[in-house]
Amino acid sequence: MRLHLFGLTLSTTMGILYLVPTPVGNMEDMTLRAIRILKEADLVLCEDTRTSGILLKHFDIHNHLMAHHKFNEHGTSAGIVERLKGGETIALISDAGTPGISDPGFFLAREAIAAGITVQTLPGATAFVPALVSSGLPCDRFCFEGFLPQKKGRMSRLEALADEERTMIFYESPYRVVKLLEQMKEVFGEDRQVSCCREISKIHEESVRGTIAEVLAHFQGTAPRGEFVVVAAGKKEEKKGEDKR
C-alpha cells in the first residue's frame, strides 16, 4: 500500500517480486493469473523487450518493459531490489517458460529473498515437464540437468551421470542434438531408452522415442529442427540375487 502526502509517495510495505511463466509455444498456455499480474505490475522485467513486447501486445497488456538478462542481471538486480523495498510490484518473465529454469531468475530471486522481499512464482508453462511425462519413462524420480556445456566439460558431465538411476532431462539446441546422442551412446550404451521431444506445444510438436541407437539413426537421417528436451532413462538398478539355501 502507498500513501500520498504533500506530493510525496510513501510506501508502508515492501513490494512483491513475481516470477511469471510464459508460453513455450502455444499462446493459449498463458494463465489468466499471469495476464492479470503482468497488467497490474509496476514494472515487467524480461530477457528481450522485442520478444516480450509481442507477448504483451497479444494479451493487450500495456506495461513498461525493462531488459533483465544473464548479461546484466548482476548489475541491475540491486536497483530492482531497492524498487521492491520501496513498495513496487515487479514481474519477471523470460522469453519462454518459467524464469529460473535455464533462464535468468535465480540471482534476482535470491537477492530479493535476502532483502526480506516476498517472492512468488506462478505455476505455468515449462518445457521439461510435458516432455518428461510424455516420454514413457519413469517420472516419479528424475534429475534435471538443463543445458550441458557447449564444449569443454560435456563428456565429463555425462560420465558423472553414468550410474544415475533416475530419469535424466536435458535441454539441447537442434545443432547439438546428434552430438549429444552420440556422446550418450558412448557413455550410457546404445540400448539405453531415450525420448527426444521438440517444438513442445507448437504445431509441429514431436517425440521420437526408442533406444539411443535408434533415435540417433533417426536424426542422422532427418535434420533436427526446433528446441529439444532430451529425456534419458536412468541406469537400471541391479537386482540382488536370491538367497539360495
Side-chain angles (χ1 to χ4, degrees), residues 132 135-143 145 158 161-170 184 187-189 191-195 210 212 230-238:
L132 169 64
S135 69
L137 298 172
C139 50
D140 55 335
R141 297 175 64 247
F142 60 89
C143 61
E145 292 295 320
L158 285 173
L161 294 167
D163 293 325
E164 175 60 64
E165 295 178 352
R166 295 171 295 177
T167 301
M168 297 167 281
I169 305 167
F170 304 86
M184 284 184 167
V187 176
F188 300 153
D191 293 327
R192 184 78 65 93
Q193 290 291 311
V194 69
S195 172
I212 291 177
V230 179
V231 184
K235 182 180 180 181
K236 289 185 178 180
E237 186 176 359
E238 295 183 2

PDB file of all heavy atoms in Angstrom, residues 132 135-143 145 158 161-170 184 187-189 191-195 210 212 230-238:
ATOM      1  N   LEU A 132       8.887 -34.845 -20.116  1.00  0.00           N
ATOM      2  CA  LEU A 132       9.118 -35.961 -19.197  1.00  0.00           C
ATOM      3  C   LEU A 132       7.898 -36.869 -19.120  1.00  0.00           C
ATOM      4  O   LEU A 132       8.002 -38.092 -19.263  1.00  0.00           O
ATOM      5  CB  LEU A 132       9.463 -35.418 -17.806  1.00  0.00           C
ATOM      6  CG  LEU A 132       9.493 -36.432 -16.655  1.00  0.00           C
ATOM      7  CD1 LEU A 132      10.581 -37.467 -16.868  1.00  0.00           C
ATOM      8  CD2 LEU A 132       9.681 -35.709 -15.317  1.00  0.00           C
ATOM      9  N   SER A 135       7.257 -38.941 -22.200  1.00  0.00           N
ATOM     10  CA  SER A 135       8.399 -39.725 -22.689  1.00  0.00           C
ATOM     11  C   SER A 135       8.169 -41.227 -22.587  1.00  0.00           C
ATOM     12  O   SER A 135       8.803 -42.012 -23.303  1.00  0.00           O
ATOM     13  CB  SER A 135       9.662 -39.366 -21.907  1.00  0.00           C
ATOM     14  OG  SER A 135       9.581 -39.820 -20.559  1.00  0.00           O
ATOM     15  N   GLY A 136       7.291 -41.632 -21.695  1.00  0.00           N
ATOM     16  CA  GLY A 136       7.110 -43.061 -21.445  1.00  0.00           C
ATOM     17  C   GLY A 136       8.133 -43.624 -20.481  1.00  0.00           C
ATOM     18  O   GLY A 136       8.161 -44.832 -20.224  1.00  0.00           O
ATOM     19  N   LEU A 137       8.971 -42.763 -19.933  1.00  0.00           N
ATOM     20  CA  LEU A 137       9.995 -43.176 -18.971  1.00  0.00           C
ATOM     21  C   LEU A 137       9.535 -42.825 -17.559  1.00  0.00           C
ATOM     22  O   LEU A 137       8.697 -41.943 -17.382  1.00  0.00           O
ATOM     23  CB  LEU A 137      11.325 -42.478 -19.292  1.00  0.00           C
ATOM     24  CG  LEU A 137      11.914 -42.824 -20.663  1.00  0.00           C
ATOM     25  CD1 LEU A 137      13.122 -41.938 -20.966  1.00  0.00           C
ATOM     26  CD2 LEU A 137      12.310 -44.294 -20.726  1.00  0.00           C
ATOM     27  N   PRO A 138      10.069 -43.494 -16.543  1.00  0.00           N
ATOM     28  CA  PRO A 138       9.633 -43.229 -15.170  1.00  0.00           C
ATOM     29  C   PRO A 138       9.776 -41.754 -14.806  1.00  0.00           C
ATOM     30  O   PRO A 138      10.825 -41.142 -15.043  1.00  0.00           O
ATOM     31  CB  PRO A 138      10.580 -44.104 -14.326  1.00  0.00           C
ATOM     32  CG  PRO A 138      10.984 -45.211 -15.248  1.00  0.00           C
ATOM     33  CD  PRO A 138      11.078 -44.585 -16.609  1.00  0.00           C
ATOM     34  N   CYS A 139       8.714 -41.176 -14.246  1.00  0.00           N
ATOM     35  CA  CYS A 139       8.781 -39.756 -13.886  1.00  0.00           C
ATOM     36  C   CYS A 139       8.493 -39.527 -12.402  1.00  0.00           C
ATOM     37  O   CYS A 139       8.234 -38.403 -11.981  1.00  0.00           O
ATOM     38  CB  CYS A 139       7.836 -38.932 -14.751  1.00  0.00           C
ATOM     39  SG  CYS A 139       6.149 -39.533 -14.856  1.00  0.00           S
ATOM     40  N   ASP A 140       8.542 -40.601 -11.612  1.00  0.00           N
ATOM     41  CA  ASP A 140       8.363 -40.441 -10.173  1.00  0.00           C
ATOM     42  C   ASP A 140       9.627 -39.902  -9.519  1.00  0.00           C
ATOM     43  O   ASP A 140       9.568 -39.214  -8.500  1.00  0.00           O
ATOM     44  CB  ASP A 140       7.941 -41.767  -9.530  1.00  0.00           C
ATOM     45  CG  ASP A 140       8.901 -42.910  -9.836  1.00  0.00           C
ATOM     46  OD1 ASP A 140       9.590 -42.841 -10.874  1.00  0.00           O
ATOM     47  OD2 ASP A 140       8.953 -43.875  -9.042  1.00  0.00           O
ATOM     48  N   ARG A 141      10.788 -40.219 -10.112  1.00  0.00           N
ATOM     49  CA  ARG A 141      12.069 -39.702  -9.633  1.00  0.00           C
ATOM     50  C   ARG A 141      12.892 -39.314 -10.854  1.00  0.00           C
ATOM     51  O   ARG A 141      13.082 -40.124 -11.767  1.00  0.00           O
ATOM     52  CB  ARG A 141      12.822 -40.760  -8.811  1.00  0.00           C
ATOM     53  CG  ARG A 141      12.110 -41.178  -7.539  1.00  0.00           C
ATOM     54  CD  ARG A 141      12.832 -42.311  -6.823  1.00  0.00           C
ATOM     55  NE  ARG A 141      14.160 -41.918  -6.360  1.00  0.00           N
ATOM     56  CZ  ARG A 141      15.297 -42.411  -6.836  1.00  0.00           C
ATOM     57  NH1 ARG A 141      15.278 -43.330  -7.802  1.00  0.00           N
ATOM     58  NH2 ARG A 141      16.451 -42.008  -6.360  1.00  0.00           N
ATOM     59  N   PHE A 142      13.379 -38.091 -10.882  1.00  0.00           N
ATOM     60  CA  PHE A 142      14.152 -37.639 -12.042  1.00  0.00           C
ATOM     61  C   PHE A 142      15.133 -36.546 -11.629  1.00  0.00           C
ATOM     62  O   PHE A 142      15.008 -35.951 -10.561  1.00  0.00           O
ATOM     63  CB  PHE A 142      13.220 -37.124 -13.153  1.00  0.00           C
ATOM     64  CG  PHE A 142      12.360 -35.954 -12.734  1.00  0.00           C
ATOM     65  CD1 PHE A 142      12.801 -34.643 -12.865  1.00  0.00           C
ATOM     66  CD2 PHE A 142      11.088 -36.168 -12.207  1.00  0.00           C
ATOM     67  CE1 PHE A 142      12.016 -33.579 -12.480  1.00  0.00           C
ATOM     68  CE2 PHE A 142      10.275 -35.102 -11.818  1.00  0.00           C
ATOM     69  CZ  PHE A 142      10.746 -33.806 -11.957  1.00  0.00           C
ATOM     70  N   CYS A 143      16.101 -36.287 -12.491  1.00  0.00           N
ATOM     71  CA  CYS A 143      17.033 -35.184 -12.262  1.00  0.00           C
ATOM     72  C   CYS A 143      17.070 -34.298 -13.498  1.00  0.00           C
ATOM     73  O   CYS A 143      17.086 -34.786 -14.629  1.00  0.00           O
ATOM     74  CB  CYS A 143      18.435 -35.683 -11.899  1.00  0.00           C
ATOM     75  SG  CYS A 143      19.247 -36.686 -13.158  1.00  0.00           S
ATOM     76  N   GLU A 145      19.045 -31.713 -15.718  1.00  0.00           N
ATOM     77  CA  GLU A 145      20.417 -31.277 -15.982  1.00  0.00           C
ATOM     78  C   GLU A 145      20.491 -30.016 -16.834  1.00  0.00           C
ATOM     79  O   GLU A 145      21.543 -29.404 -16.957  1.00  0.00           O
ATOM     80  CB  GLU A 145      21.191 -32.408 -16.677  1.00  0.00           C
ATOM     81  CG  GLU A 145      21.437 -33.616 -15.792  1.00  0.00           C
ATOM     82  CD  GLU A 145      22.344 -33.282 -14.617  1.00  0.00           C
ATOM     83  OE1 GLU A 145      23.326 -32.523 -14.791  1.00  0.00           O
ATOM     84  OE2 GLU A 145      22.053 -33.762 -13.505  1.00  0.00           O
ATOM     85  N   LEU A 158      28.503 -35.982 -18.530  1.00  0.00           N
ATOM     86  CA  LEU A 158      27.765 -37.204 -18.846  1.00  0.00           C
ATOM     87  C   LEU A 158      28.354 -38.408 -18.121  1.00  0.00           C
ATOM     88  O   LEU A 158      27.626 -39.273 -17.623  1.00  0.00           O
ATOM     89  CB  LEU A 158      27.761 -37.438 -20.355  1.00  0.00           C
ATOM     90  CG  LEU A 158      26.830 -36.546 -21.181  1.00  0.00           C
ATOM     91  CD1 LEU A 158      27.058 -36.762 -22.669  1.00  0.00           C
ATOM     92  CD2 LEU A 158      25.363 -36.804 -20.832  1.00  0.00           C
ATOM     93  N   LEU A 161      27.212 -38.931 -14.774  1.00  0.00           N
ATOM     94  CA  LEU A 161      25.835 -39.417 -14.688  1.00  0.00           C
ATOM     95  C   LEU A 161      25.708 -40.881 -15.123  1.00  0.00           C
ATOM     96  O   LEU A 161      24.595 -41.407 -15.208  1.00  0.00           O
ATOM     97  CB  LEU A 161      24.922 -38.560 -15.565  1.00  0.00           C
ATOM     98  CG  LEU A 161      24.747 -37.093 -15.144  1.00  0.00           C
ATOM     99  CD1 LEU A 161      24.080 -36.304 -16.261  1.00  0.00           C
ATOM    100  CD2 LEU A 161      23.933 -37.000 -13.864  1.00  0.00           C
ATOM    101  N   ALA A 162      26.818 -41.529 -15.401  1.00  0.00           N
ATOM    102  CA  ALA A 162      26.793 -42.890 -15.939  1.00  0.00           C
ATOM    103  C   ALA A 162      26.038 -43.865 -15.039  1.00  0.00           C
ATOM    104  O   ALA A 162      25.379 -44.785 -15.517  1.00  0.00           O
ATOM    105  CB  ALA A 162      28.217 -43.391 -16.167  1.00  0.00           C
ATOM    106  N   ASP A 163      26.103 -43.679 -13.725  1.00  0.00           N
ATOM    107  CA  ASP A 163      25.438 -44.591 -12.794  1.00  0.00           C
ATOM    108  C   ASP A 163      24.150 -44.007 -12.208  1.00  0.00           C
ATOM    109  O   ASP A 163      23.579 -44.582 -11.267  1.00  0.00           O
ATOM    110  CB  ASP A 163      26.393 -44.963 -11.664  1.00  0.00           C
ATOM    111  CG  ASP A 163      27.568 -45.803 -12.150  1.00  0.00           C
ATOM    112  OD1 ASP A 163      27.363 -46.617 -13.072  1.00  0.00           O
ATOM    113  OD2 ASP A 163      28.684 -45.632 -11.623  1.00  0.00           O
ATOM    114  N   GLU A 164      23.700 -42.876 -12.760  1.00  0.00           N
ATOM    115  CA  GLU A 164      22.465 -42.259 -12.277  1.00  0.00           C
ATOM    116  C   GLU A 164      21.270 -43.158 -12.580  1.00  0.00           C
ATOM    117  O   GLU A 164      21.059 -43.570 -13.713  1.00  0.00           O
ATOM    118  CB  GLU A 164      22.260 -40.893 -12.949  1.00  0.00           C
ATOM    119  CG  GLU A 164      20.949 -40.208 -12.611  1.00  0.00           C
ATOM    120  CD  GLU A 164      20.804 -39.935 -11.122  1.00  0.00           C
ATOM    121  OE1 GLU A 164      21.615 -39.151 -10.590  1.00  0.00           O
ATOM    122  OE2 GLU A 164      19.880 -40.536 -10.518  1.00  0.00           O
ATOM    123  N   GLU A 165      20.489 -43.494 -11.556  1.00  0.00           N
ATOM    124  CA  GLU A 165      19.359 -44.408 -11.733  1.00  0.00           C
ATOM    125  C   GLU A 165      18.046 -43.674 -12.013  1.00  0.00           C
ATOM    126  O   GLU A 165      17.071 -44.288 -12.453  1.00  0.00           O
ATOM    127  CB  GLU A 165      19.210 -45.292 -10.493  1.00  0.00           C
ATOM    128  CG  GLU A 165      20.397 -46.228 -10.295  1.00  0.00           C
ATOM    129  CD  GLU A 165      20.278 -47.067  -9.038  1.00  0.00           C
ATOM    130  OE1 GLU A 165      19.336 -46.815  -8.238  1.00  0.00           O
ATOM    131  OE2 GLU A 165      21.107 -47.974  -8.842  1.00  0.00           O
ATOM    132  N   ARG A 166      18.016 -42.378 -11.761  1.00  0.00           N
ATOM    133  CA  ARG A 166      16.803 -41.615 -12.047  1.00  0.00           C
ATOM    134  C   ARG A 166      16.738 -41.230 -13.525  1.00  0.00           C
ATOM    135  O   ARG A 166      17.757 -41.164 -14.208  1.00  0.00           O
ATOM    136  CB  ARG A 166      16.768 -40.347 -11.192  1.00  0.00           C
ATOM    137  CG  ARG A 166      16.667 -40.592  -9.697  1.00  0.00           C
ATOM    138  CD  ARG A 166      16.859 -39.320  -8.912  1.00  0.00           C
ATOM    139  NE  ARG A 166      18.214 -38.790  -9.083  1.00  0.00           N
ATOM    140  CZ  ARG A 166      18.634 -37.645  -8.547  1.00  0.00           C
ATOM    141  NH1 ARG A 166      17.804 -36.901  -7.826  1.00  0.00           N
ATOM    142  NH2 ARG A 166      19.882 -37.241  -8.737  1.00  0.00           N
ATOM    143  N   THR A 167      15.556 -40.945 -14.010  1.00  0.00           N
ATOM    144  CA  THR A 167      15.395 -40.421 -15.362  1.00  0.00           C
ATOM    145  C   THR A 167      16.087 -39.062 -15.445  1.00  0.00           C
ATOM    146  O   THR A 167      15.996 -38.249 -14.526  1.00  0.00           O
ATOM    147  CB  THR A 167      13.902 -40.269 -15.697  1.00  0.00           C
ATOM    148  OG1 THR A 167      13.271 -41.557 -15.591  1.00  0.00           O
ATOM    149  CG2 THR A 167      13.699 -39.728 -17.097  1.00  0.00           C
ATOM    150  N   MET A 168      16.791 -38.815 -16.533  1.00  0.00           N
ATOM    151  CA  MET A 168      17.571 -37.589 -16.696  1.00  0.00           C
ATOM    152  C   MET A 168      16.979 -36.710 -17.798  1.00  0.00           C
ATOM    153  O   MET A 168      16.540 -37.207 -18.835  1.00  0.00           O
ATOM    154  CB  MET A 168      19.019 -37.936 -17.030  1.00  0.00           C
ATOM    155  CG  MET A 168      19.740 -38.700 -15.930  1.00  0.00           C
ATOM    156  SD  MET A 168      21.313 -39.407 -16.504  1.00  0.00           S
ATOM    157  CE  MET A 168      20.720 -40.857 -17.394  1.00  0.00           C
ATOM    158  N   ILE A 169      16.982 -35.404 -17.566  1.00  0.00           N
ATOM    159  CA  ILE A 169      16.385 -34.459 -18.507  1.00  0.00           C
ATOM    160  C   ILE A 169      17.429 -33.433 -18.931  1.00  0.00           C
ATOM    161  O   ILE A 169      18.111 -32.827 -18.091  1.00  0.00           O
ATOM    162  CB  ILE A 169      15.194 -33.733 -17.864  1.00  0.00           C
ATOM    163  CG1 ILE A 169      14.178 -34.748 -17.326  1.00  0.00           C
ATOM    164  CG2 ILE A 169      14.524 -32.790 -18.865  1.00  0.00           C
ATOM    165  CD1 ILE A 169      13.145 -34.142 -16.410  1.00  0.00           C
ATOM    166  N   PHE A 170      17.529 -33.221 -20.233  1.00  0.00           N
ATOM    167  CA  PHE A 170      18.493 -32.275 -20.790  1.00  0.00           C
ATOM    168  C   PHE A 170      17.789 -31.331 -21.771  1.00  0.00           C
ATOM    169  O   PHE A 170      16.854 -31.735 -22.469  1.00  0.00           O
ATOM    170  CB  PHE A 170      19.603 -33.008 -21.558  1.00  0.00           C
ATOM    171  CG  PHE A 170      20.336 -34.040 -20.751  1.00  0.00           C
ATOM    172  CD1 PHE A 170      19.843 -35.341 -20.656  1.00  0.00           C
ATOM    173  CD2 PHE A 170      21.514 -33.729 -20.090  1.00  0.00           C
ATOM    174  CE1 PHE A 170      20.511 -36.315 -19.921  1.00  0.00           C
ATOM    175  CE2 PHE A 170      22.188 -34.688 -19.343  1.00  0.00           C
ATOM    176  CZ  PHE A 170      21.682 -35.988 -19.263  1.00  0.00           C
ATOM    177  N   MET A 184      25.957 -39.733 -25.560  1.00  0.00           N
ATOM    178  CA  MET A 184      25.171 -40.607 -24.685  1.00  0.00           C
ATOM    179  C   MET A 184      25.382 -42.075 -25.045  1.00  0.00           C
ATOM    180  O   MET A 184      25.466 -42.936 -24.165  1.00  0.00           O
ATOM    181  CB  MET A 184      23.681 -40.252 -24.791  1.00  0.00           C
ATOM    182  CG  MET A 184      23.261 -39.007 -24.066  1.00  0.00           C
ATOM    183  SD  MET A 184      21.471 -38.779 -24.182  1.00  0.00           S
ATOM    184  CE  MET A 184      21.229 -37.503 -22.946  1.00  0.00           C
ATOM    185  N   VAL A 187      28.629 -43.152 -23.516  1.00  0.00           N
ATOM    186  CA  VAL A 187      28.670 -43.216 -22.049  1.00  0.00           C
ATOM    187  C   VAL A 187      27.622 -44.170 -21.483  1.00  0.00           C
ATOM    188  O   VAL A 187      27.901 -44.971 -20.580  1.00  0.00           O
ATOM    189  CB  VAL A 187      28.482 -41.805 -21.445  1.00  0.00           C
ATOM    190  CG1 VAL A 187      28.421 -41.888 -19.913  1.00  0.00           C
ATOM    191  CG2 VAL A 187      29.614 -40.887 -21.877  1.00  0.00           C
ATOM    192  N   PHE A 188      26.379 -44.078 -21.989  1.00  0.00           N
ATOM    193  CA  PHE A 188      25.275 -44.865 -21.434  1.00  0.00           C
ATOM    194  C   PHE A 188      25.066 -46.205 -22.136  1.00  0.00           C
ATOM    195  O   PHE A 188      24.400 -47.090 -21.590  1.00  0.00           O
ATOM    196  CB  PHE A 188      23.960 -44.073 -21.510  1.00  0.00           C
ATOM    197  CG  PHE A 188      23.963 -42.770 -20.761  1.00  0.00           C
ATOM    198  CD1 PHE A 188      23.143 -41.724 -21.166  1.00  0.00           C
ATOM    199  CD2 PHE A 188      24.764 -42.585 -19.647  1.00  0.00           C
ATOM    200  CE1 PHE A 188      23.122 -40.520 -20.478  1.00  0.00           C
ATOM    201  CE2 PHE A 188      24.764 -41.385 -18.948  1.00  0.00           C
ATOM    202  CZ  PHE A 188      23.946 -40.342 -19.368  1.00  0.00           C
ATOM    203  N   GLY A 189      25.595 -46.331 -23.364  1.00  0.00           N
ATOM    204  CA  GLY A 189      25.362 -47.543 -24.142  1.00  0.00           C
ATOM    205  C   GLY A 189      24.223 -47.341 -25.122  1.00  0.00           C
ATOM    206  O   GLY A 189      23.288 -46.590 -24.862  1.00  0.00           O
ATOM    207  N   ASP A 191      21.770 -49.150 -26.018  1.00  0.00           N
ATOM    208  CA  ASP A 191      20.455 -49.727 -25.737  1.00  0.00           C
ATOM    209  C   ASP A 191      19.657 -48.946 -24.695  1.00  0.00           C
ATOM    210  O   ASP A 191      18.518 -49.313 -24.391  1.00  0.00           O
ATOM    211  CB  ASP A 191      20.604 -51.174 -25.263  1.00  0.00           C
ATOM    212  CG  ASP A 191      21.137 -52.083 -26.371  1.00  0.00           C
ATOM    213  OD1 ASP A 191      20.812 -51.821 -27.539  1.00  0.00           O
ATOM    214  OD2 ASP A 191      21.865 -53.039 -26.056  1.00  0.00           O
ATOM    215  N   ARG A 192      20.243 -47.886 -24.155  1.00  0.00           N
ATOM    216  CA  ARG A 192      19.518 -47.083 -23.159  1.00  0.00           C
ATOM    217  C   ARG A 192      18.329 -46.389 -23.831  1.00  0.00           C
ATOM    218  O   ARG A 192      18.450 -45.846 -24.921  1.00  0.00           O
ATOM    219  CB  ARG A 192      20.465 -46.040 -22.545  1.00  0.00           C
ATOM    220  CG  ARG A 192      19.860 -45.205 -21.422  1.00  0.00           C
ATOM    221  CD  ARG A 192      19.806 -45.954 -20.110  1.00  0.00           C
ATOM    222  NE  ARG A 192      21.133 -46.259 -19.596  1.00  0.00           N
ATOM    223  CZ  ARG A 192      21.810 -45.475 -18.734  1.00  0.00           C
ATOM    224  NH1 ARG A 192      21.272 -44.349 -18.304  1.00  0.00           N
ATOM    225  NH2 ARG A 192      22.999 -45.839 -18.291  1.00  0.00           N
ATOM    226  N   GLN A 193      17.184 -46.375 -23.176  1.00  0.00           N
ATOM    227  CA  GLN A 193      15.992 -45.742 -23.730  1.00  0.00           C
ATOM    228  C   GLN A 193      16.096 -44.210 -23.628  1.00  0.00           C
ATOM    229  O   GLN A 193      16.602 -43.675 -22.642  1.00  0.00           O
ATOM    230  CB  GLN A 193      14.739 -46.219 -22.991  1.00  0.00           C
ATOM    231  CG  GLN A 193      14.380 -47.676 -23.258  1.00  0.00           C
ATOM    232  CD  GLN A 193      13.898 -47.883 -24.683  1.00  0.00           C
ATOM    233  OE1 GLN A 193      13.038 -47.167 -25.195  1.00  0.00           O
ATOM    234  NE2 GLN A 193      14.465 -48.893 -25.338  1.00  0.00           N
ATOM    235  N   VAL A 194      15.590 -43.543 -24.664  1.00  0.00           N
ATOM    236  CA  VAL A 194      15.649 -42.083 -24.703  1.00  0.00           C
ATOM    237  C   VAL A 194      14.433 -41.553 -25.456  1.00  0.00           C
ATOM    238  O   VAL A 194      13.850 -42.244 -26.307  1.00  0.00           O
ATOM    239  CB  VAL A 194      16.962 -41.609 -25.370  1.00  0.00           C
ATOM    240  CG1 VAL A 194      16.977 -41.937 -26.856  1.00  0.00           C
ATOM    241  CG2 VAL A 194      17.189 -40.123 -25.158  1.00  0.00           C
ATOM    242  N   SER A 195      14.033 -40.343 -25.130  1.00  0.00           N
ATOM    243  CA  SER A 195      12.945 -39.669 -25.837  1.00  0.00           C
ATOM    244  C   SER A 195      13.397 -38.253 -26.157  1.00  0.00           C
ATOM    245  O   SER A 195      13.853 -37.524 -25.273  1.00  0.00           O
ATOM    246  CB  SER A 195      11.679 -39.628 -24.975  1.00  0.00           C
ATOM    247  OG  SER A 195      10.673 -38.822 -25.576  1.00  0.00           O
ATOM    248  N   GLY A 210      12.840 -44.349 -28.354  1.00  0.00           N
ATOM    249  CA  GLY A 210      13.477 -45.615 -28.693  1.00  0.00           C
ATOM    250  C   GLY A 210      14.799 -45.742 -27.972  1.00  0.00           C
ATOM    251  O   GLY A 210      15.072 -45.015 -27.014  1.00  0.00           O
ATOM    252  N   ILE A 212      18.906 -45.320 -27.698  1.00  0.00           N
ATOM    253  CA  ILE A 212      19.772 -44.228 -28.150  1.00  0.00           C
ATOM    254  C   ILE A 212      20.217 -44.478 -29.584  1.00  0.00           C
ATOM    255  O   ILE A 212      20.238 -43.553 -30.408  1.00  0.00           O
ATOM    256  CB  ILE A 212      20.990 -44.076 -27.213  1.00  0.00           C
ATOM    257  CG1 ILE A 212      20.534 -43.555 -25.841  1.00  0.00           C
ATOM    258  CG2 ILE A 212      22.034 -43.144 -27.824  1.00  0.00           C
ATOM    259  CD1 ILE A 212      21.638 -43.436 -24.818  1.00  0.00           C
ATOM    260  N   VAL A 230      15.604 -33.573 -24.179  1.00  0.00           N
ATOM    261  CA  VAL A 230      16.030 -34.965 -24.310  1.00  0.00           C
ATOM    262  C   VAL A 230      15.884 -35.638 -22.944  1.00  0.00           C
ATOM    263  O   VAL A 230      16.460 -35.187 -21.956  1.00  0.00           O
ATOM    264  CB  VAL A 230      17.488 -35.059 -24.801  1.00  0.00           C
ATOM    265  CG1 VAL A 230      17.914 -36.525 -24.917  1.00  0.00           C
ATOM    266  CG2 VAL A 230      17.641 -34.343 -26.143  1.00  0.00           C
ATOM    267  N   VAL A 231      15.085 -36.692 -22.924  1.00  0.00           N
ATOM    268  CA  VAL A 231      14.827 -37.425 -21.681  1.00  0.00           C
ATOM    269  C   VAL A 231      15.444 -38.811 -21.806  1.00  0.00           C
ATOM    270  O   VAL A 231      15.111 -39.564 -22.723  1.00  0.00           O
ATOM    271  CB  VAL A 231      13.312 -37.542 -21.411  1.00  0.00           C
ATOM    272  CG1 VAL A 231      13.063 -38.209 -20.065  1.00  0.00           C
ATOM    273  CG2 VAL A 231      12.651 -36.160 -21.453  1.00  0.00           C
ATOM    274  N   ALA A 232      16.361 -39.117 -20.898  1.00  0.00           N
ATOM    275  CA  ALA A 232      17.074 -40.397 -20.960  1.00  0.00           C
ATOM    276  C   ALA A 232      16.771 -41.234 -19.728  1.00  0.00           C
ATOM    277  O   ALA A 232      16.707 -40.725 -18.604  1.00  0.00           O
ATOM    278  CB  ALA A 232      18.581 -40.155 -21.064  1.00  0.00           C
ATOM    279  N   ALA A 233      16.576 -42.528 -19.947  1.00  0.00           N
ATOM    280  CA  ALA A 233      16.333 -43.443 -18.829  1.00  0.00           C
ATOM    281  C   ALA A 233      17.569 -43.532 -17.944  1.00  0.00           C
ATOM    282  O   ALA A 233      18.707 -43.417 -18.414  1.00  0.00           O
ATOM    283  CB  ALA A 233      15.971 -44.832 -19.359  1.00  0.00           C
ATOM    284  N   GLY A 234      17.347 -43.741 -16.666  1.00  0.00           N
ATOM    285  CA  GLY A 234      18.458 -43.950 -15.759  1.00  0.00           C
ATOM    286  C   GLY A 234      18.995 -45.366 -15.872  1.00  0.00           C
ATOM    287  O   GLY A 234      18.385 -46.231 -16.511  1.00  0.00           O
ATOM    288  N   LYS A 235      20.113 -45.589 -15.252  1.00  0.00           N
ATOM    289  CA  LYS A 235      20.712 -46.922 -15.250  1.00  0.00           C
ATOM    290  C   LYS A 235      19.833 -47.854 -14.433  1.00  0.00           C
ATOM    291  O   LYS A 235      19.391 -47.512 -13.340  1.00  0.00           O
ATOM    292  CB  LYS A 235      22.116 -46.865 -14.649  1.00  0.00           C
ATOM    293  CG  LYS A 235      22.844 -48.209 -14.637  1.00  0.00           C
ATOM    294  CD  LYS A 235      24.235 -48.058 -14.032  1.00  0.00           C
ATOM    295  CE  LYS A 235      24.969 -49.381 -14.006  1.00  0.00           C
ATOM    296  NZ  LYS A 235      26.314 -49.266 -13.395  1.00  0.00           N
ATOM    297  N   LYS A 236      19.550 -49.003 -14.980  1.00  0.00           N
ATOM    298  CA  LYS A 236      18.708 -49.955 -14.270  1.00  0.00           C
ATOM    299  C   LYS A 236      19.412 -50.449 -13.025  1.00  0.00           C
ATOM    300  O   LYS A 236      20.582 -50.824 -13.058  1.00  0.00           O
ATOM    301  CB  LYS A 236      18.351 -51.143 -15.169  1.00  0.00           C
ATOM    302  CG  LYS A 236      17.382 -50.795 -16.283  1.00  0.00           C
ATOM    303  CD  LYS A 236      16.978 -52.037 -17.058  1.00  0.00           C
ATOM    304  CE  LYS A 236      15.970 -51.695 -18.144  1.00  0.00           C
ATOM    305  NZ  LYS A 236      15.548 -52.900 -18.914  1.00  0.00           N
ATOM    306  N   GLU A 237      18.649 -50.427 -11.935  1.00  0.00           N
ATOM    307  CA  GLU A 237      19.204 -50.892 -10.668  1.00  0.00           C
ATOM    308  C   GLU A 237      19.440 -52.395 -10.742  1.00  0.00           C
ATOM    309  O   GLU A 237      18.561 -53.153 -11.163  1.00  0.00           O
ATOM    310  CB  GLU A 237      18.234 -50.584  -9.531  1.00  0.00           C
ATOM    311  CG  GLU A 237      18.777 -50.908  -8.160  1.00  0.00           C
ATOM    312  CD  GLU A 237      17.827 -50.502  -7.052  1.00  0.00           C
ATOM    313  OE1 GLU A 237      16.756 -49.957  -7.381  1.00  0.00           O
ATOM    314  OE2 GLU A 237      18.161 -50.747  -5.885  1.00  0.00           O
ATOM    315  N   GLU A 238      20.635 -52.801 -10.388  1.00  0.00           N
ATOM    316  CA  GLU A 238      20.964 -54.230 -10.435  1.00  0.00           C
ATOM    317  C   GLU A 238      20.206 -54.972  -9.338  1.00  0.00           C
ATOM    318  O   GLU A 238      20.214 -54.585  -8.181  1.00  0.00           O
ATOM    319  CB  GLU A 238      22.484 -54.414 -10.243  1.00  0.00           C
ATOM    320  CG  GLU A 238      23.309 -53.826 -11.375  1.00  0.00           C
ATOM    321  CD  GLU A 238      24.789 -54.093 -11.181  1.00  0.00           C
ATOM    322  OE1 GLU A 238      25.118 -54.765 -10.187  1.00  0.00           O
ATOM    323  OE2 GLU A 238      25.591 -53.617 -11.985  1.00  0.00           O
TER     324      GLU A 238
END
